[in-house]
């Protein structure tokens, strides 16, 4: 893996965290290929090979539908999220495809409340090179705790 690829990969992770931390939901689908997979799954299910996922989207169109839902149809107490993402570990590097893993922590801040840890886990990703730069072809969000507060509204 050359330095430019490593730099671009780190920029992809940092830009993703920045977009979803700032509430720019319309940017979220743009980090993915058209035919992509985004799954949110508890660690226990993942490690035991169980397919059950909390959220599972199988295309960029489904991600855009989720953004529409966040903006137009979901009603909830407003809160902010802040994503802290570790440097990706490159598990496999090919010319136009990378398999990576990175730890994450998401903090949630409700108005007039202290910040709290919302979700902790790891991303297991397949990243591919496109004409627009590096994109996620697959992102598995494996969260450590089986317990999640209320519901997951925003992307992790």
């Amino acid at each position: 893996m050359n330095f430019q690829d490593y730099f671009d990969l780190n920029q992809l992770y940092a830009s993703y965290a920045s977009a979803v931390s700032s509430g720019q939901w319309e940017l979220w689908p743009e980090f993915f290929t058209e035919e992509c997979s985004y799954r949110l799954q508890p660690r226990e299910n993942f490690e035991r090979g169980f397919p059950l996922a909390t959220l599972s989207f199988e295309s960029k169109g489904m991600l855009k539908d989720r953004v529409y839902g966040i903006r137009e149809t979901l009603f909830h107490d407003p809160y902010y999220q802040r994503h802290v993402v570790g440097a990706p570990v490159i598990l496999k590097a090919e010319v136009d495809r990378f398999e990576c893993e990175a730890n994450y922590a998401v903090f949630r801040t409700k108005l007039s409340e202290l910040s709290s840890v919302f979700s902790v886990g790891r991303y297991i990703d397949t990243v591919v090179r496109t004409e627009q730069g590096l994109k996620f072809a697959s992102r598995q969000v494996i969260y450590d705790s089986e317990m999640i507060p209320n519901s997951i509204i925003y992307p992790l």
Side-chain angles (χ1 to χ4, degrees):
M1 172 174 248
N2 63 43
F3 177 78
Q4 187 62 52
D5 286 343
Y6 185 74
F7 177 81
D8 292 345
L9 197 57
N10 275 277
Q11 282 298 107
L12 175 67
Y13 277 77
S15 296
Y16 178 97
S18 178
V20 294
S21 291
S22 65
Q24 298 179 60
W25 310 122
E26 65 282 351
L27 296 179
W28 178 55
E30 301 310 315
F31 289 96
F32 293 85
T33 59
E34 289 296 326
E35 300 298 321
C36 65
S37 172
Y38 177 89
R39 292 177 48 86
L40 185 64
Q41 187 175 32
R43 180 178 183 166
E44 182 181 17
N45 284 5
F46 176 77
E47 288 179 350
R48 295 174 86 183
F50 296 157
L52 185 63
T54 306
L55 292 173
S56 183
F57 303 117
E58 297 301 324
S59 70
K60 188 174 184 178
M62 290 179 81
L63 300 180
K64 289 179 178 181
D65 284 347
R66 182 64 177 194
V67 170
Y68 177 81
I70 290 168
R71 291 229 183 264
E72 303 297 330
T73 65
L74 298 176
F75 296 98
H76 58 88
D77 288 337
Y79 63 90
Y80 303 109
Q81 287 188 161
R82 180 69 51 206
H83 294 68
V84 179
V85 179
V89 175
I90 292 82
L91 304 173
K92 185 176 181 182
E94 297 173 355
V95 175
D96 292 328
R97 187 175 187 273
F98 306 96
E99 293 178 15
C100 311
E101 188 173 303
N103 294 322
Y104 77 85
V106 177
F107 299 89
R108 179 170 71 175
T109 306
K110 290 186 173 186
L111 304 179
S112 303
E113 291 184 23
L114 293 173
S115 297
S116 62
V117 176
F118 181 69
S119 180
V120 175
R122 63 187 164 139
Y123 297 125
I124 300 174
D125 300 316
T126 300
V127 177
V128 296
R129 189 180 320 277
T130 71
E131 291 179 6
Q132 296 80 34
L134 296 179
K135 304 272 186 180
F136 294 107
S138 171
R139 171 156 269 196
Q140 293 183 81
V141 183
I142 309 301
Y143 57 92
D144 288 341
S145 175
E146 292 178 31
M147 303 299 292
I148 54 174
N150 277 344
S151 62
I152 304 241
I153 307 289
Y154 304 136
L156 295 182

